[in-house]
Amino acid sequence: MSISFEAAASAVRDALTGAGRGLVEREAMVELVALSAVAGEHLLVIGPPGTAKSEAVRRTALALGGSYFEYLLGRFTEPSELFGPVDLRKLREGIVETETHGMLPEAEVAFLDEVFLGSTAILNTLLGILNERTFRRGHTRMQCPLRVCVGASNALPEDASLAAFADRFLARIFVEPVPDPRLEELLAGGASLWGEGEARITSLESLDVLAQVSREANLSEVRPHLAHALRTLRAAGVELSDRRAVKVQKLIAAAAALAGRRTPGRADLWPLVYAVPTKEAQALARDVLRDALAGTENPALPAAALEASAGPLARARRIANAGQQLLAERPVDGSEEALAAWRLKLEGVAREMDAGFAPESLPADLRVLRAELAGVLAAGAERPEAEVAV
């Protein structure tokens, strides 16, 4: 029995909620994996090691269903480690065929860590899988069921040939380590994952229903707004290739489908930010597109939509809330140990604030919080080593 569009949207929404539980500051990444899968495009994640990139993709793949392939590439990775070994029985007959069972060509969701370290032979074969969903090697020709490939790296490549390969990943997200004020959440969330089971929450059928709706979506209503946003980006010096500008429509249609809408509108423009290639350009895009993205709304992908449309403002609100909550939780038992731990948390909020915002661009609520923190820390600093520059 086929599943309805409304039921499919609800099922995927519930799956993403479960997948993101316990993954502090990675909710947007989880949502972008699903968005890319519905759009039939690929996601590139840029961030330092140990920032839960693989865990987020693994949990999302598990929640969405389907076969999953994961591999960490290195300079000496052989093509057979990704695509499968040559079938020796066929080789004796002079036929070069690849045994692909359980390997990347048969995966529906894939995660390739350090993707730019692959050899030329690996990257050339990957291009066929990413672009055409076709695996070619020797005498082997097969269609691949891949919905989405997530590539990860510590940084964007500078080599021109690798940059061309990276351009096949339409959506991009840049991740950072969890900030000081959320360390307790990180520890609690990470520990909660140890005891969780591995039961899937939904199936690929729901994903396929949404993908079909997004492919059939009428984009005529949103297209003029997208064109205006692209002109705004160009005027600000943010260039998207023609290919990326055209393909971003697939992300917009997928965002609408995941939100339960058959017809994309202005509320679904926000994926455009994730199609911008660099971290700095994405920050500029959020700024210049603030008015165009003011109507952003997506109940299925709230973290990704908020990060795209609000960006620094959303982060400012979170920092302000965290700081005010900490100020209200000052230890009352007079314990020096408790006070010292409390002051360390306040210092963490101050460091995150100063690292994320220049003094002249500090939002009003953070300016107020900054002054409060300065007063509390200065009054509570009994030793020079306890002081912090705020």
Side-chain angles (χ1 to χ4, degrees):
M1 183 177 66
S2 61
I3 186 171
S4 69
F5 168 51
E6 293 75 13
S10 176
V12 172
R13 195 155 49 234
D14 291 343
L16 295 179
T17 299
R21 191 173 294 117
L23 293 173
V24 179
E25 298 264 320
R26 297 295 171 262
E27 298 89 347
M29 181 179 162
V30 165
E31 294 169 3
L32 286 179
V33 175
L35 176 69
S36 300
V38 171
E41 291 295 332
H42 308 295
L43 172 67
L44 185 60
V45 183
I46 305 296
T51 46
K53 298 188 291 290
S54 60
E55 182 66 22
V57 178
R58 194 179 301 121
R59 287 175 58 81
T60 308
L62 187 67
L64 296 177
S67 57
Y68 176 64
F69 180 84
E70 176 181 325
Y71 208 82
L72 171 62
L73 278 69
R75 294 292 181 191
F76 304 106
T77 300
E78 295 287 337
S80 60
E81 297 176 57
L82 269 66
F83 311 119
V86 171
D87 189 327
L88 296 179
R89 292 172 298 178
K90 296 287 185 67
L91 188 60
R92 295 190 189 99
E93 302 170 8
I95 301 173
V96 182
E97 286 197 0
T98 304
E99 176 51 63
T100 60
H101 179 69
M103 307 303 285
L104 177 59
E106 296 190 10
E108 289 160 319
V109 180
F111 175 66
L112 300 178
D113 203 358
E114 297 297 345
V115 65
F116 300 121
L117 294 183
S119 66
T120 300
I122 287 176
L123 296 185
N124 285 341
T125 304
L126 273 176
L127 277 176
I129 296 177
L130 298 182
N131 289 347
E132 306 160 19
R133 302 303 199 276
T134 302
F135 172 63
R136 301 184 185 89
R137 189 180 178 206
H139 292 92
T140 303
R141 300 286 188 277
M142 63 177 287
Q143 288 299 118
C144 301
L146 186 67
R147 265 69 169 184
V148 58
C149 177
V150 181
S153 179
N154 296 338
L156 287 171
E158 297 180 0
D159 185 276
S161 61
L162 289 177
F165 172 74
D167 198 53
R168 269 53 182 184
F169 294 85
L170 178 60
R172 298 183 178 186
I173 184 170
F174 298 83
V175 299
E176 299 289 345
V178 173
D180 280 8
R182 305 197 72 183
L183 284 176
E184 284 83 1
E185 291 178 67
L186 170 67
L187 296 174
S192 71
L193 301 181
W194 298 341
E196 288 200 356
E198 296 192 350
R200 287 175 179 163
I201 303 173
T202 187
S203 69
L204 282 178
E205 184 183 3
S206 297
L207 207 65
D208 291 341
V209 168
L210 297 183
Q212 182 66 28
V213 169
S214 71
R215 284 193 296 269
E216 296 172 351
N218 182 352
L219 290 156
S220 59
E221 178 184 325
V222 75
R223 197 166 282 136
H225 302 294
L226 175 58
H228 177 70
L230 289 168
R231 291 189 187 99
T232 303
L233 290 178
R234 287 184 176 183
V238 178
E239 291 288 342
L240 269 72
S241 67
D242 291 348
R243 176 171 58 199
R244 298 182 81 79
V246 170
K247 280 197 167 189
V248 76
Q249 295 176 103
K250 297 173 73 175
L251 295 179
I252 291 170
L258 280 157
R261 294 187 282 270
R262 291 181 180 272
T263 303
R266 291 190 65 180
D268 307 304
L269 274 177
W270 58 269
L272 174 59
V273 172
Y274 293 109
V276 174
T278 68
K279 183 178 182 180
E280 295 75 19
Q282 284 190 3
L284 179 57
R286 290 185 184 95
D287 187 42
V288 300
L289 295 178
R290 189 173 300 162
D291 292 339
L293 302 180
T296 290
E297 183 269 335
N298 197 298
L301 312 172
L306 180 62
E307 178 63 23
S309 58
L313 294 179
R315 187 166 67 251
R317 286 198 295 270
R318 180 180 58 74
I319 295 173
N321 290 339
Q324 293 298 340
Q325 184 176 347
L326 273 175
L327 287 171
E329 293 174 350
R330 181 183 180 116
V332 294
D333 60 3
S335 165
E336 181 56 35
E337 183 178 350
L339 282 171
W342 179 70
R343 284 195 293 268
L344 277 175
K345 292 179 183 179
L346 292 180
E347 291 170 12
V349 172
R351 283 195 298 272
E352 185 183 8
M353 196 186 309
D354 290 342
F357 300 90
E360 64 274 9
S361 65
L362 208 61
D365 51 354
L366 289 191
R367 280 199 298 272
V368 173
L369 176 62
R370 197 175 196 275
E372 288 187 66
L373 291 179
V376 171
L377 291 171
E382 299 177 359
R383 299 177 301 277
E385 60 268 22
E387 295 177 355
V388 62
V390 180

